[in-house]
Amino acid sequence: MNKQGLLKLLALLFSMGLIAAACGGSDDGDTGATDTTEAEAEEAATDDTVAEAGTEAEGDNDTEIVPSEGERAYGGSIAVGLEAEAVGLRPWEDTCSSPCYNMMITIYDKLIEQTVDGEYEGWLLESIEPSEDFMSWVGVLRPGVTFHNGTELTAQTIADMFIVQQTGAASAGQISSANLADVQATGDLEVTYTLSQANSAFPAFLARAPIGMVFDPALATEDPDGYANAPVGTGPFVVESRDLDNETVVVRNENYWGTDPEGNQLPFLDQISFRPIPDEGTRLDALLSGTVNAFQTLRQGTIRDARAAVEEGADVTLLEFQGNNTGGGHFNVLVPPFDDKRVRNGLVHLNPQDQVIEALGGTGISLPATQWFSPDSPWYSEKVAEAWPKFDFNRGVELITEYVNDPARSDGKAVGEPISFEQSCPPDPTLIAATQVIIEVYEQTGGLIEAEVTNYDQQTHINYALGAENGFVGEHGAHCWRWSSEDDPSVNLNPALAPPTAEIAELAGIPGVVSPLNFANWFDGESFQAAVGATQTDDFAARYALYETIMLRIAEETPIWYSGHTATAIGTDANILGLNGWHLPSGSIGVGFPNAEGRWAEVWLG
Amino acid sequence: MTTTEPTVSLDQPTVVEAPKVQQSGVPREGIKPKRASVLEVWRSMPLTVKFSTVWLILVFGGAIYAKVDTTIFDGALPLQDPNAQTNGFSAATGEFGDGEPLEKPSADHWLGTDAIARDTFSRIVHGGWVSLIVASVAAGFGVIFGGFLGALVGFVRGRTEAVIMSAIDVILAFPALILLLAMVSIFRVRDLLIISLVIGFLSIPAYTRVARATSLAISQREFVLAARAIGTKPGTILRREVIPNVLPVVLSYAMVAAAFVIVVEGSLSFLGLSVQLPTSTWGNMINLARADIKVDVMQAVYPSLALVITVLSLNQVGDWFQKRASHRASAL
């Protein structure tokens, strides 16, 4: 071999050596694996930063919501790693999920907030009272609140906001679900909300971004596009710069109206920089390496890794929360074979829930779901948990076989031919793994099921389910999805149960009542009436019974399937305090950090 | 290697074919060119190229073995089912298996198991099939269409060249990966052959340019000029003189291009946009493993190594053949 050849061989071997050396580094990873398993076995209960609070549900590791101790300090800046960028920051227009919410809540105030007990109290509204029949609500605004541009907040502002919200992509549906018909300024600070139907849970809608966050309607009308990246609110921080997909910087609002219970002017921090870091591992590493000071996640696998890092001594506070939000998927019941209950029911029986949760990285973290409420929710029902179809291979095969051998089967195929459909999830590796676990069970049915597994990016995935181009029927089959939140059940259930298309609304005798947010396209008269009924009373027992009826109907008809409740977390440097146990203006402790959505006004550096 | 100039007698009729020169520059009629035996080719290879060749034979041979195992022998050959989850439900026993996700390498699982307890070694071997098909189809497509077009335009020049090269430039302007992403997202294409053909179609411009450059040079060589001078039909010259001399260069380029194509397919797989799951590809194995990279980094390393070494090997072998082809061309 000549000299050049020898050099090439050496280079090849050297490169392989480098790779091998990198592999050698996995020893740490291997140790980490053992540690993680041990940590899971111990359920991290011994770690002070992962305090136990969820006594109602075994395995629920919610961090206890208590105000941070220590002397408050002004100044300092932090960087927060988010799982995605927010395309726009307009509450009425831009659909906002957890990462976007973290940004928006620094810029905008909401009219209503939720307390740690799940009650709704005033934030910008000092009070809100219903009429006896829940057909109208009168709220009184807090005086002396101004927007970042100096404009004063008045009742007329709220009335003008309603004009913009009626056509907003995010708010129009919420207005419909809330039964909101009109908003009038009936005084300088008094606002009257008139509803088309009774809604005892109306304040819950004012605690959500689309119609609850307060913006400058004059500016929004003048330059709606510009508002997306130069938003103006009344919140504790003001947008200083926004470099899309890189960094959004907010700085202290010197004229903020809010104070903490001790009377300290809020906010404490000078500046927060939000940075989208989509890759889960990279985002956690960014926190551990000090690139960012806080991060948020909705993935069990990341929580597992963050817990392991804390176990290994990382100086990080992990605020965990697992609530009503649950993963799984829905069937498009307007499309064969999902229009047949036997198929849906059979497929749910073939869902190995524990193995799916394991594939999602959620063993020991995520609780198996049976309904839209977690075991520590006041709305949770044992009866529903019992009724939900569990993994039962033989029963699943029996039901699918019955459909396959039915000469009148809805998909028009010949008797004995397998059912076929598309099973789709976004291309997240844990979701891909979970889908393959389900598919492997389908494979065991002896050719009864042909499922085509697909993965589309998040936006395409949502668009297929929304189906704006085909009358909201959607282009999906079996589709990964999430449901529910800590909000009042009506906020999520009413739009999910309303007629999905104009034709169905017509047939149901409620023309014009159409909800594009009924993604499963499942319309059940009994459930819809129960959902409507639950908004016409504020009696908890009566409402509980109605929601239990809905959940039992879902368990019977199975338009959806469940994996586990969504575990979420915000991790911060240990010296970041005040994210846990923030306060409402009344002094009540706030809801905490549900769905990894932090409230940053009371945060200070210890 | 000797160079023999084609001899043309002015007395000969103009229909006389030009002498064949593709075999070591020796005319067909006369001394038979000496073909190098496989053993001689092997001996002439540098050690890195030998190593690379062995690797490619192992990877693609393994992939063919795996495919034969599943399609002909229904999994009876000694290689584990790449999709069987060792902790999964078995209809036969009515129970879940006792395997574990992310198992360490053992006698049962040479490279351990992945996040859903499937045998990693078997998945890597099967994953080679997708790479092999994509590389072969795309390269074949590129060599046949790109190679022919390039040889043609380099030889005929003029308007034909202007029109075809303009069309080639248009195809070249497409951002290949984005086009593929759009195609699989919008049209929901998941078929391996179609994905391969599209990648092949997008490869045509590169092959055309390589072939055209070689064809331009060949077309000015003495034996081509001589063939023109004696009145050989252009089609015959193209078929007998130009294409045979362009082909070795295009084929050696195909090996280098195949490496690129494998990386493109790997990128699509990584994004979850290649062949349908649970079919294993190196890209989707890396994607799946990254969720557990802090727990078991090796599950991401194994398929990455397979991809890296295969691409490196294709480049090594391709470079070597390219060098060989250029030696031959200069010796014509």
Side-chain angles (χ1 to χ4, degrees), chain A residues 9 26 279 285 422 436, chain B residues 47 91 118 188 290 294 297:
Chain A
L9 180 64
S26 70
D279 185 76
D285 285 342
E422 183 180 12
Q436 290 181 80
Chain B
L47 195 55
R118 296 175 299 192
R188 304 187 178 195
R290 78 189 165 97
K294 287 186 192 306
V297 70

Side-chain angles (χ1 to χ4, degrees), chain A residues 1 4-5 8-10 12 15-16 19 22-26 28-30 32-33 36 279 281 284-285 288 301 304-305 352 355 358-359 391 393 422 427-430 432-434 436-437 439-441 444 451-457 460 464 475-476, chain B residues 46-48 51-52 81 83-85 87-92 96 100-102 104 115-116 118 123 184-190 270-273 275-279 287-298 301 305 308-309 312 316 319 323:
Chain A
M1 182 167 48
Q4 200 182 7
K8 272 191 176 177
L9 180 64
L10 283 173
L12 184 66
S15 62
M16 292 182 69
I19 295 165
C23 305
S26 70
D28 293 339
D30 295 347
T36 307
D279 185 76
L284 173 58
D285 285 342
L288 299 176
R304 174 200 61 195
D305 294 341
Q355 279 67 32
E358 184 174 39
F391 179 77
F393 183 79
E422 183 180 12
D428 177 85
T430 57
I432 291 170
Q436 290 181 80
V437 167
I439 296 297
E440 184 62 12
V441 176
Q444 303 278 318
E452 184 193 1
V453 181
T454 55
N455 312 108
Y456 303 107
D457 66 275
T460 308
Y464 281 154
E475 299 173 48
H476 54 305
Chain B
L47 195 55
T48 47
F51 176 86
S52 300
D81 180 348
N83 301 326
Q85 294 160 17
N87 64 349
F89 181 79
S90 163
F96 287 91
E100 290 286 335
L102 305 177
K104 298 287 166 251
I116 48 176
R118 296 175 299 192
R123 288 188 69 74
V184 293
S185 279
I186 296 167
F187 301 110
R188 304 187 178 195
V189 172
R190 283 292 188 280
F270 182 80
L271 295 170
L273 297 170
V275 294
Q276 198 193 134
L277 295 169
T279 307
N287 185 32
L288 183 64
R290 78 189 165 97
D292 299 299
I293 205 158
K294 287 186 192 306
V295 180
D296 188 354
V297 70
M298 296 310 291
V301 168
L305 268 179
V308 167
I309 299 175
L312 199 59
Q316 286 288 322
D319 280 348
K323 216 171 278 179

